[in-house]
Amino acid sequence: MLAEIKGLNEECGIFGVWGHQDAAQLTYYGLHSLQHRGQEGAGIVVSDGKALKGIKGEGLVTEIFTEDTIRELIGNAAIGHVRYATAGGGGYENVQPLLFHSQTGSLALAHNGNLVNANSLKHQLEAQGSIFQTSSDSEVLAHLIRRSGFPRMRDQVKNALSMLKGAYAYLIMTETELMVALDPHGLRPLSLGCLGDAYVVASETCAFDVVGAEYIRDIEPGEILIINDDGLISERFAHSSTKAICMMEYVYFSRPDSNIHGVNVHTARKNMGKRLAIEAPFEADVVTGVPDSSISAAIGYAEASGIPYEMGLIKNKYVGRTFIQPSQSLREQGVKMKLSAVRGVVEGKRVVMVDDSIVRGTTSRRIVNMLKEAGATEVHVVISSPPIKNPCFYGIDTSSKEELIASDKSVEEIRQIIGADTLTFISLDGMVKALSQTEGLNGFCLGCFTGNYPTEIYPDTLQYYYQRG
Ligand code: SF4
């Protein structure tokens, strides 16, 4: 599905390098491959061992950086960030990496995720005299680090991290060190790789392939890596940790060529499609997927059902980004521009349409309508995730609860609204089994489906999510 027209958006992607002469250029390519995780802003900060220097801007990676600007970023280490703004809103000042200079040295931060206790911490820090440069939750960590009394930077960072609640994959760079930290539930993906003697970290492994790096392993929940010219060491900043990786990374957000905790995203989606073929079998002529993220599940459904997969919907890749247009009417216009039904494929056919999720329902209604207008005689909608009934507090912009169609409507009511002949969501158990036979429901965050979140949710966070929209 098309993120920007659906109301389901990833918040950010991060990439870092230590020990390579082309650090800025590698980060540029890495960020480019993570562009699907955020399109509102991007930045790169480099270290030459003595000072940090950064360039950032609003827009796409290719719009912000030129060969000349990348050449200005001289250094053997770099961190980069692509941003989709939710908590704290947009604006240049919120584009990351955030860069801080002080008497004792500089610090750059790149964050993917969302802190659920950011507001409480911010109030406490402001009461103690901190002045925030941005409205982003990510900046809280910098203030906590600066206020920590420990002599060594890594201990300051570990102490500061232990005060955060929520989802965070952080890259923290000083002139002489890169620190890589993942929250105690490992909600967001974060992997380590190498390129010759250099270390590389990225939100998704697809970035390693782009720069020719070799995957080493995923960062563990509650782990901090400290990388410097002496090498890499791993420490823990959280004593107890329970893995709860975001299920939507597999269902929808991550690129199909990425692997998360050893599971390839395309394969996971294909397995979800196969499960759907068992849970929702139909007599039909063609299976089609909503491009791009539902294609893998549609292939799985087709393979398991024996019904041929066809390209019944195509996406126009050359239309400008519509997600920055906030009104519903413009958003709906964007759907028409971006997606078309292929009459020659669906006319006179019974179609199984595979999609990864339904958020507001408006896009599904338009696509079903499009297929029917193109001559489909039946449209059976099958969804490779269960109904999304609850908001996400961890960095995925799932809209407010009021906007989520499944929050107060039954499957039959949703079917009527979207105009499908049938509508089936994969079962929670089926979705998890498609990924793993061994982890059970325990290895994943399923909060937006079940309402059971892996962390405590603070009242000020709840207030923020229930007021907007
Ligand atoms: S609530 Fe949903 S979208 Fe948010 S982290 Fe959990 S599974 Fe992912």
mmCIF file of all heavy atoms in Angstrom, residues 99-148:
data_model
loop_
_atom_site.group_PDB
_atom_site.id
_atom_site.type_symbol
_atom_site.label_atom_id
_atom_site.label_comp_id
_atom_site.label_asym_id
_atom_site.label_seq_id
_atom_site.Cartn_x
_atom_site.Cartn_y
_atom_site.Cartn_z
ATOM 1 N N LEU A 99 22.662 18.264 16.425
ATOM 2 C CA LEU A 99 24.086 18.490 16.697
ATOM 3 C C LEU A 99 24.224 19.513 17.829
ATOM 4 O O LEU A 99 23.609 20.581 17.778
ATOM 5 C CB LEU A 99 24.740 19.010 15.407
ATOM 6 C CG LEU A 99 26.241 19.232 15.368
ATOM 7 C CD1 LEU A 99 27.020 18.024 15.850
ATOM 8 C CD2 LEU A 99 26.668 19.561 13.925
ATOM 9 N N PHE A 100 24.985 19.142 18.857
ATOM 10 C CA PHE A 100 25.156 20.014 20.031
ATOM 11 C C PHE A 100 26.644 20.268 20.254
ATOM 12 O O PHE A 100 27.445 19.334 20.180
ATOM 13 C CB PHE A 100 24.585 19.340 21.287
ATOM 14 C CG PHE A 100 23.154 18.924 21.125
ATOM 15 C CD1 PHE A 100 22.843 17.662 20.644
ATOM 16 C CD2 PHE A 100 22.120 19.786 21.439
ATOM 17 C CE1 PHE A 100 21.523 17.270 20.469
ATOM 18 C CE2 PHE A 100 20.792 19.405 21.271
ATOM 19 C CZ PHE A 100 20.499 18.142 20.782
ATOM 20 N N HIS A 101 26.991 21.517 20.519
ATOM 21 C CA HIS A 101 28.381 21.851 20.814
ATOM 22 C C HIS A 101 28.453 22.372 22.245
ATOM 23 O O HIS A 101 27.577 23.132 22.664
ATOM 24 C CB HIS A 101 28.889 22.938 19.850
ATOM 25 C CG HIS A 101 28.825 22.519 18.409
ATOM 26 N ND1 HIS A 101 29.666 21.565 17.868
ATOM 27 C CD2 HIS A 101 28.006 22.908 17.403
ATOM 28 C CE1 HIS A 101 29.371 21.398 16.587
ATOM 29 N NE2 HIS A 101 28.358 22.198 16.288
ATOM 30 N N SER A 102 29.494 21.959 22.971
ATOM 31 C CA SER A 102 29.681 22.492 24.329
ATOM 32 C C SER A 102 31.179 22.605 24.597
ATOM 33 O O SER A 102 32.001 22.177 23.776
ATOM 34 C CB SER A 102 29.024 21.578 25.370
ATOM 35 O OG SER A 102 29.797 20.417 25.523
ATOM 36 N N GLN A 103 31.511 23.151 25.763
ATOM 37 C CA GLN A 103 32.927 23.327 26.144
ATOM 38 C C GLN A 103 33.680 22.002 26.134
ATOM 39 O O GLN A 103 34.848 21.924 25.781
ATOM 40 C CB GLN A 103 33.016 23.877 27.582
ATOM 41 C CG GLN A 103 32.299 25.172 27.803
ATOM 42 C CD GLN A 103 33.151 26.352 27.390
ATOM 43 O OE1 GLN A 103 34.215 26.178 26.822
ATOM 44 N NE2 GLN A 103 32.691 27.557 27.653
ATOM 45 N N THR A 104 32.935 20.934 26.485
ATOM 46 C CA THR A 104 33.613 19.647 26.625
ATOM 47 C C THR A 104 33.626 18.829 25.334
ATOM 48 O O THR A 104 34.170 17.731 25.285
ATOM 49 C CB THR A 104 32.923 18.816 27.723
ATOM 50 O OG1 THR A 104 31.519 18.804 27.441
ATOM 51 C CG2 THR A 104 33.161 19.396 29.103
ATOM 52 N N GLY A 105 33.013 19.319 24.288
ATOM 53 C CA GLY A 105 33.007 18.582 23.022
ATOM 54 C C GLY A 105 31.644 18.622 22.369
ATOM 55 O O GLY A 105 30.716 19.237 22.879
ATOM 56 N N SER A 106 31.552 17.951 21.244
ATOM 57 C CA SER A 106 30.282 17.964 20.490
ATOM 58 C C SER A 106 29.615 16.593 20.549
ATOM 59 O O SER A 106 30.255 15.581 20.835
ATOM 60 C CB SER A 106 30.551 18.338 19.039
ATOM 61 O OG SER A 106 31.162 19.592 18.976
ATOM 62 N N LEU A 107 28.338 16.617 20.205
ATOM 63 C CA LEU A 107 27.535 15.401 20.280
ATOM 64 C C LEU A 107 26.499 15.465 19.157
ATOM 65 O O LEU A 107 25.841 16.496 18.988
ATOM 66 C CB LEU A 107 26.814 15.389 21.631
ATOM 67 C CG LEU A 107 25.945 14.203 21.985
ATOM 68 C CD1 LEU A 107 26.834 13.043 22.402
ATOM 69 C CD2 LEU A 107 25.010 14.572 23.130
ATOM 70 N N ALA A 108 26.384 14.386 18.397
ATOM 71 C CA ALA A 108 25.338 14.320 17.370
ATOM 72 C C ALA A 108 24.433 13.135 17.671
ATOM 73 O O ALA A 108 24.905 12.081 18.115
ATOM 74 C CB ALA A 108 25.964 14.164 15.995
ATOM 75 N N LEU A 109 23.146 13.320 17.421
ATOM 76 C CA LEU A 109 22.159 12.283 17.733
ATOM 77 C C LEU A 109 21.271 11.994 16.538
ATOM 78 O O LEU A 109 20.808 12.929 15.883
ATOM 79 C CB LEU A 109 21.177 12.787 18.791
ATOM 80 C CG LEU A 109 21.525 12.935 20.231
ATOM 81 C CD1 LEU A 109 20.278 13.378 20.982
ATOM 82 C CD2 LEU A 109 22.011 11.607 20.760
ATOM 83 N N ALA A 110 21.012 10.729 16.285
ATOM 84 C CA ALA A 110 20.001 10.346 15.297
ATOM 85 C C ALA A 110 19.115 9.300 15.963
ATOM 86 O O ALA A 110 19.618 8.336 16.549
ATOM 87 C CB ALA A 110 20.664 9.785 14.052
ATOM 88 N N HIS A 111 17.810 9.473 15.874
ATOM 89 C CA HIS A 111 16.870 8.638 16.620
ATOM 90 C C HIS A 111 15.774 8.113 15.703
ATOM 91 O O HIS A 111 15.185 8.870 14.942
ATOM 92 C CB HIS A 111 16.251 9.514 17.735
ATOM 93 C CG HIS A 111 15.113 8.883 18.477
ATOM 94 N ND1 HIS A 111 14.090 9.622 19.037
ATOM 95 C CD2 HIS A 111 14.824 7.592 18.787
ATOM 96 C CE1 HIS A 111 13.235 8.821 19.649
ATOM 97 N NE2 HIS A 111 13.660 7.587 19.503
ATOM 98 N N ASN A 112 15.510 6.828 15.791
ATOM 99 C CA ASN A 112 14.337 6.252 15.137
ATOM 100 C C ASN A 112 13.457 5.690 16.235
ATOM 101 O O ASN A 112 13.916 4.885 17.039
ATOM 102 C CB ASN A 112 14.763 5.132 14.173
ATOM 103 C CG ASN A 112 13.579 4.381 13.587
ATOM 104 O OD1 ASN A 112 12.510 4.947 13.411
ATOM 105 N ND2 ASN A 112 13.774 3.120 13.281
ATOM 106 N N GLY A 113 12.194 6.110 16.260
ATOM 107 C CA GLY A 113 11.272 5.617 17.274
ATOM 108 C C GLY A 113 10.551 6.767 17.936
ATOM 109 O O GLY A 113 10.514 7.875 17.399
ATOM 110 N N ASN A 114 9.978 6.477 19.072
ATOM 111 C CA ASN A 114 9.239 7.506 19.795
ATOM 112 C C ASN A 114 9.291 7.209 21.282
ATOM 113 O O ASN A 114 9.059 6.077 21.700
ATOM 114 C CB ASN A 114 7.787 7.514 19.311
ATOM 115 C CG ASN A 114 7.062 8.770 19.723
ATOM 116 O OD1 ASN A 114 7.538 9.877 19.473
ATOM 117 N ND2 ASN A 114 5.944 8.612 20.391
ATOM 118 N N LEU A 115 9.618 8.235 22.061
ATOM 119 C CA LEU A 115 9.703 8.052 23.510
ATOM 120 C C LEU A 115 8.326 8.319 24.127
ATOM 121 O O LEU A 115 7.706 9.332 23.805
ATOM 122 C CB LEU A 115 10.728 9.028 24.107
ATOM 123 C CG LEU A 115 12.121 8.996 23.477
ATOM 124 C CD1 LEU A 115 13.029 10.035 24.134
ATOM 125 C CD2 LEU A 115 12.735 7.604 23.619
ATOM 126 N N VAL A 116 7.891 7.425 24.995
ATOM 127 C CA VAL A 116 6.549 7.629 25.572
ATOM 128 C C VAL A 116 6.602 8.461 26.852
ATOM 129 O O VAL A 116 5.561 8.875 27.351
ATOM 130 C CB VAL A 116 5.810 6.290 25.828
ATOM 131 C CG1 VAL A 116 5.486 5.596 24.516
ATOM 132 C CG2 VAL A 116 6.589 5.375 26.742
ATOM 133 N N ASN A 117 7.791 8.692 27.398
ATOM 134 C CA ASN A 117 7.883 9.550 28.587
ATOM 135 C C ASN A 117 8.640 10.846 28.278
ATOM 136 O O ASN A 117 9.163 11.492 29.184
ATOM 137 C CB ASN A 117 8.529 8.809 29.763
ATOM 138 C CG ASN A 117 9.980 8.423 29.481
ATOM 139 O OD1 ASN A 117 10.396 8.355 28.335
ATOM 140 N ND2 ASN A 117 10.736 8.181 30.541
ATOM 141 N N ALA A 118 8.677 11.223 26.994
ATOM 142 C CA ALA A 118 9.453 12.412 26.609
ATOM 143 C C ALA A 118 8.922 13.671 27.293
ATOM 144 O O ALA A 118 9.708 14.494 27.778
ATOM 145 C CB ALA A 118 9.425 12.590 25.096
ATOM 146 N N ASN A 119 7.605 13.819 27.339
ATOM 147 C CA ASN A 119 7.052 15.054 27.905
ATOM 148 C C ASN A 119 7.347 15.174 29.395
ATOM 149 O O ASN A 119 7.717 16.244 29.880
ATOM 150 C CB ASN A 119 5.537 15.135 27.661
ATOM 151 C CG ASN A 119 5.251 15.422 26.197
ATOM 152 O OD1 ASN A 119 6.142 15.853 25.464
ATOM 153 N ND2 ASN A 119 4.039 15.146 25.763
ATOM 154 N N SER A 120 7.196 14.076 30.129
ATOM 155 C CA SER A 120 7.493 14.133 31.574
ATOM 156 C C SER A 120 8.960 14.490 31.782
ATOM 157 O O SER A 120 9.292 15.326 32.625
ATOM 158 C CB SER A 120 7.217 12.805 32.274
ATOM 159 O OG SER A 120 6.369 12.009 31.555
ATOM 160 N N LEU A 121 9.851 13.842 31.000
ATOM 161 C CA LEU A 121 11.282 14.140 31.151
ATOM 162 C C LEU A 121 11.581 15.590 30.782
ATOM 163 O O LEU A 121 12.370 16.263 31.447
ATOM 164 C CB LEU A 121 12.115 13.198 30.271
ATOM 165 C CG LEU A 121 12.176 11.738 30.720
ATOM 166 C CD1 LEU A 121 12.828 10.866 29.646
ATOM 167 C CD2 LEU A 121 12.963 11.596 32.027
ATOM 168 N N LYS A 122 10.930 16.062 29.733
ATOM 169 C CA LYS A 122 11.145 17.431 29.270
ATOM 170 C C LYS A 122 10.750 18.429 30.363
ATOM 171 O O LYS A 122 11.477 19.387 30.636
ATOM 172 C CB LYS A 122 10.295 17.673 28.023
ATOM 173 C CG LYS A 122 11.047 18.345 26.919
ATOM 174 C CD LYS A 122 10.227 18.294 25.650
ATOM 175 C CE LYS A 122 10.896 19.132 24.583
ATOM 176 N NZ LYS A 122 10.275 19.030 23.288
ATOM 177 N N HIS A 123 9.602 18.188 31.003
ATOM 178 C CA HIS A 123 9.161 19.088 32.084
ATOM 179 C C HIS A 123 10.185 19.113 33.208
ATOM 180 O O HIS A 123 10.555 20.168 33.712
ATOM 181 C CB HIS A 123 7.788 18.643 32.623
ATOM 182 C CG HIS A 123 6.689 18.921 31.653
ATOM 183 N ND1 HIS A 123 5.592 18.113 31.517
ATOM 184 C CD2 HIS A 123 6.539 19.915 30.755
ATOM 185 C CE1 HIS A 123 4.803 18.604 30.567
ATOM 186 N NE2 HIS A 123 5.359 19.698 30.095
ATOM 187 N N GLN A 124 10.666 17.916 33.570
ATOM 188 C CA GLN A 124 11.672 17.847 34.651
ATOM 189 C C GLN A 124 12.942 18.593 34.258
ATOM 190 O O GLN A 124 13.500 19.356 35.035
ATOM 191 C CB GLN A 124 12.060 16.393 34.922
ATOM 192 C CG GLN A 124 11.007 15.583 35.658
ATOM 193 C CD GLN A 124 11.362 14.094 35.625
ATOM 194 O OE1 GLN A 124 12.521 13.703 35.549
ATOM 195 N NE2 GLN A 124 10.344 13.254 35.670
ATOM 196 N N LEU A 125 13.400 18.369 33.020
ATOM 197 C CA LEU A 125 14.649 18.989 32.572
ATOM 198 C C LEU A 125 14.504 20.510 32.474
ATOM 199 O O LEU A 125 15.417 21.253 32.846
ATOM 200 C CB LEU A 125 15.058 18.411 31.204
ATOM 201 C CG LEU A 125 15.609 16.987 31.254
ATOM 202 C CD1 LEU A 125 15.547 16.311 29.882
ATOM 203 C CD2 LEU A 125 17.056 16.990 31.760
ATOM 204 N N GLU A 126 13.363 20.957 32.006
ATOM 205 C CA GLU A 126 13.149 22.408 31.903
ATOM 206 C C GLU A 126 13.125 23.038 33.292
ATOM 207 O O GLU A 126 13.653 24.131 33.496
ATOM 208 C CB GLU A 126 11.872 22.709 31.123
ATOM 209 C CG GLU A 126 12.117 22.621 29.622
ATOM 210 C CD GLU A 126 10.875 22.813 28.759
ATOM 211 O OE1 GLU A 126 9.748 22.785 29.296
ATOM 212 O OE2 GLU A 126 11.044 22.968 27.551
ATOM 213 N N ALA A 127 12.524 22.313 34.228
ATOM 214 C CA ALA A 127 12.484 22.822 35.605
ATOM 215 C C ALA A 127 13.904 22.949 36.173
ATOM 216 O O ALA A 127 14.169 23.776 37.042
ATOM 217 C CB ALA A 127 11.635 21.896 36.474
ATOM 218 N N GLN A 128 14.817 22.102 35.639
ATOM 219 C CA GLN A 128 16.218 22.161 36.113
ATOM 220 C C GLN A 128 17.072 23.113 35.275
ATOM 221 O O GLN A 128 18.281 23.173 35.420
ATOM 222 C CB GLN A 128 16.835 20.764 36.050
ATOM 223 C CG GLN A 128 16.241 19.796 37.056
ATOM 224 C CD GLN A 128 16.546 18.335 36.685
ATOM 225 O OE1 GLN A 128 17.323 18.048 35.791
ATOM 226 N NE2 GLN A 128 15.899 17.417 37.393
ATOM 227 N N GLY A 129 16.459 23.798 34.314
ATOM 228 C CA GLY A 129 17.193 24.818 33.568
ATOM 229 C C GLY A 129 17.523 24.488 32.127
ATOM 230 O O GLY A 129 18.134 25.298 31.433
ATOM 231 N N SER A 130 17.148 23.302 31.653
ATOM 232 C CA SER A 130 17.449 22.964 30.251
ATOM 233 C C SER A 130 16.625 23.813 29.304
ATOM 234 O O SER A 130 15.451 24.086 29.562
ATOM 235 C CB SER A 130 17.123 21.494 29.977
ATOM 236 O OG SER A 130 18.047 20.662 30.595
ATOM 237 N N ILE A 131 17.228 24.195 28.194
ATOM 238 C CA ILE A 131 16.495 24.909 27.149
ATOM 239 C C ILE A 131 16.544 24.056 25.894
ATOM 240 O O ILE A 131 17.625 23.693 25.413
ATOM 241 C CB ILE A 131 17.127 26.299 26.874
ATOM 242 C CG1 ILE A 131 17.040 27.155 28.130
ATOM 243 C CG2 ILE A 131 16.426 26.988 25.702
ATOM 244 C CD1 ILE A 131 17.820 28.442 28.052
ATOM 245 N N PHE A 132 15.358 23.706 25.379
ATOM 246 C CA PHE A 132 15.304 22.808 24.220
ATOM 247 C C PHE A 132 15.349 23.604 22.918
ATOM 248 O O PHE A 132 14.697 24.633 22.777
ATOM 249 C CB PHE A 132 14.036 21.947 24.293
ATOM 250 C CG PHE A 132 14.168 20.823 25.276
ATOM 251 C CD1 PHE A 132 13.992 21.039 26.644
ATOM 252 C CD2 PHE A 132 14.517 19.557 24.835
ATOM 253 C CE1 PHE A 132 14.152 20.001 27.553
ATOM 254 C CE2 PHE A 132 14.674 18.522 25.745
ATOM 255 C CZ PHE A 132 14.491 18.741 27.104
ATOM 256 N N GLN A 133 16.131 23.073 21.956
ATOM 257 C CA GLN A 133 16.248 23.726 20.641
ATOM 258 C C GLN A 133 15.139 23.289 19.693
ATOM 259 O O GLN A 133 14.873 23.938 18.701
ATOM 260 C CB GLN A 133 17.551 23.277 19.943
ATOM 261 C CG GLN A 133 18.811 23.712 20.604
ATOM 262 C CD GLN A 133 20.021 23.099 19.855
ATOM 263 O OE1 GLN A 133 19.910 22.638 18.734
ATOM 264 N NE2 GLN A 133 21.156 23.111 20.496
ATOM 265 N N THR A 134 14.562 22.114 19.966
ATOM 266 C CA THR A 134 13.595 21.542 19.027
ATOM 267 C C THR A 134 12.347 21.134 19.793
ATOM 268 O O THR A 134 12.333 21.110 21.032
ATOM 269 C CB THR A 134 14.152 20.262 18.363
ATOM 270 O OG1 THR A 134 14.147 19.208 19.341
ATOM 271 C CG2 THR A 134 15.572 20.462 17.858
ATOM 272 N N SER A 135 11.288 20.766 19.051
ATOM 273 C CA SER A 135 10.108 20.217 19.714
ATOM 274 C C SER A 135 10.092 18.697 19.569
ATOM 275 O O SER A 135 9.090 18.053 19.831
ATOM 276 C CB SER A 135 8.844 20.835 19.107
ATOM 277 O OG SER A 135 8.858 20.685 17.704
ATOM 278 N N SER A 136 11.193 18.121 19.111
ATOM 279 C CA SER A 136 11.250 16.677 18.916
ATOM 280 C C SER A 136 11.578 15.962 20.232
ATOM 281 O O SER A 136 12.325 16.493 21.054
ATOM 282 C CB SER A 136 12.314 16.383 17.847
ATOM 283 O OG SER A 136 13.164 15.369 18.258
ATOM 284 N N ASP A 137 11.022 14.770 20.410
ATOM 285 C CA ASP A 137 11.280 14.004 21.630
ATOM 286 C C ASP A 137 12.733 13.527 21.699
ATOM 287 O O ASP A 137 13.267 13.272 22.772
ATOM 288 C CB ASP A 137 10.321 12.804 21.733
ATOM 289 C CG ASP A 137 10.496 11.819 20.607
ATOM 290 O OD1 ASP A 137 10.816 12.256 19.480
ATOM 291 O OD2 ASP A 137 10.322 10.612 20.832
ATOM 292 N N SER A 138 13.391 13.456 20.537
ATOM 293 C CA SER A 138 14.733 12.885 20.463
ATOM 294 C C SER A 138 15.759 13.689 21.253
ATOM 295 O O SER A 138 16.749 13.145 21.734
ATOM 296 C CB SER A 138 15.191 12.813 19.006
ATOM 297 O OG SER A 138 14.183 12.254 18.207
ATOM 298 N N GLU A 139 15.529 14.994 21.388
ATOM 299 C CA GLU A 139 16.513 15.874 22.024
ATOM 300 C C GLU A 139 16.667 15.597 23.524
ATOM 301 O O GLU A 139 17.711 15.917 24.119
ATOM 302 C CB GLU A 139 16.091 17.339 21.798
ATOM 303 C CG GLU A 139 17.156 18.329 22.205
ATOM 304 C CD GLU A 139 16.713 19.781 22.077
ATOM 305 O OE1 GLU A 139 15.705 20.051 21.399
ATOM 306 O OE2 GLU A 139 17.381 20.644 22.676
ATOM 307 N N VAL A 140 15.636 15.006 24.107
ATOM 308 C CA VAL A 140 15.669 14.725 25.552
ATOM 309 C C VAL A 140 16.947 13.977 25.933
ATOM 310 O O VAL A 140 17.579 14.274 26.947
ATOM 311 C CB VAL A 140 14.410 13.899 25.952
ATOM 312 C CG1 VAL A 140 14.546 13.317 27.333
ATOM 313 C CG2 VAL A 140 13.169 14.773 25.848
ATOM 314 N N LEU A 141 17.354 13.032 25.084
ATOM 315 C CA LEU A 141 18.531 12.230 25.413
ATOM 316 C C LEU A 141 19.782 13.107 25.572
ATOM 317 O O LEU A 141 20.571 12.889 26.489
ATOM 318 C CB LEU A 141 18.773 11.148 24.343
ATOM 319 C CG LEU A 141 19.964 10.238 24.639
ATOM 320 C CD1 LEU A 141 19.703 9.363 25.865
ATOM 321 C CD2 LEU A 141 20.313 9.352 23.448
ATOM 322 N N ALA A 142 19.948 14.092 24.699
ATOM 323 C CA ALA A 142 21.144 14.948 24.769
ATOM 324 C C ALA A 142 21.204 15.656 26.123
ATOM 325 O O ALA A 142 22.268 15.744 26.743
ATOM 326 C CB ALA A 142 21.123 15.956 23.637
ATOM 327 N N HIS A 143 20.062 16.153 26.597
ATOM 328 C CA HIS A 143 20.043 16.868 27.882
ATOM 329 C C HIS A 143 20.324 15.919 29.038
ATOM 330 O O HIS A 143 21.021 16.275 29.991
ATOM 331 C CB HIS A 143 18.694 17.565 28.058
ATOM 332 C CG HIS A 143 18.498 18.693 27.085
ATOM 333 N ND1 HIS A 143 18.807 19.995 27.378
ATOM 334 C CD2 HIS A 143 18.072 18.693 25.799
ATOM 335 C CE1 HIS A 143 18.561 20.758 26.314
ATOM 336 N NE2 HIS A 143 18.107 19.986 25.344
ATOM 337 N N LEU A 144 19.768 14.708 28.935
ATOM 338 C CA LEU A 144 20.018 13.729 30.002
ATOM 339 C C LEU A 144 21.498 13.356 30.039
ATOM 340 O O LEU A 144 22.085 13.185 31.116
ATOM 341 C CB LEU A 144 19.163 12.479 29.798
ATOM 342 C CG LEU A 144 17.654 12.656 29.989
ATOM 343 C CD1 LEU A 144 16.921 11.383 29.566
ATOM 344 C CD2 LEU A 144 17.316 12.994 31.435
ATOM 345 N N ILE A 145 22.113 13.238 28.875
ATOM 346 C CA ILE A 145 23.548 12.905 28.819
ATOM 347 C C ILE A 145 24.355 14.019 29.481
ATOM 348 O O ILE A 145 25.226 13.772 30.323
ATOM 349 C CB ILE A 145 24.006 12.701 27.345
ATOM 350 C CG1 ILE A 145 23.372 11.442 26.751
ATOM 351 C CG2 ILE A 145 25.538 12.611 27.253
ATOM 352 C CD1 ILE A 145 23.574 11.276 25.235
ATOM 353 N N ARG A 146 24.065 15.260 29.115
ATOM 354 C CA ARG A 146 24.823 16.392 29.647
ATOM 355 C C ARG A 146 24.657 16.549 31.164
ATOM 356 O O ARG A 146 25.522 17.062 31.847
ATOM 357 C CB ARG A 146 24.403 17.690 28.944
ATOM 358 C CG ARG A 146 24.974 17.829 27.558
ATOM 359 C CD ARG A 146 26.488 18.034 27.583
ATOM 360 N NE ARG A 146 27.066 18.066 26.241
ATOM 361 C CZ ARG A 146 28.072 17.311 25.839
ATOM 362 N NH1 ARG A 146 28.629 16.434 26.628
ATOM 363 N NH2 ARG A 146 28.555 17.428 24.617
ATOM 364 N N ARG A 147 23.528 16.095 31.680
ATOM 365 C CA ARG A 147 23.273 16.257 33.110
ATOM 366 C C ARG A 147 23.780 15.069 33.939
ATOM 367 O O ARG A 147 23.754 15.105 35.159
ATOM 368 C CB ARG A 147 21.772 16.435 33.370
ATOM 369 C CG ARG A 147 21.327 17.793 32.923
ATOM 370 C CD ARG A 147 19.912 18.112 33.252
ATOM 371 N NE ARG A 147 19.718 19.514 32.953
ATOM 372 C CZ ARG A 147 19.950 20.501 33.813
ATOM 373 N NH1 ARG A 147 20.329 20.236 35.043
ATOM 374 N NH2 ARG A 147 19.780 21.754 33.454
ATOM 375 N N SER A 148 24.183 14.027 33.241
ATOM 376 C CA SER A 148 24.651 12.847 33.963
ATOM 377 C C SER A 148 26.027 13.156 34.574
ATOM 378 O O SER A 148 26.871 13.773 33.945
ATOM 379 C CB SER A 148 24.758 11.683 32.970
ATOM 380 O OG SER A 148 25.465 10.647 33.558
#
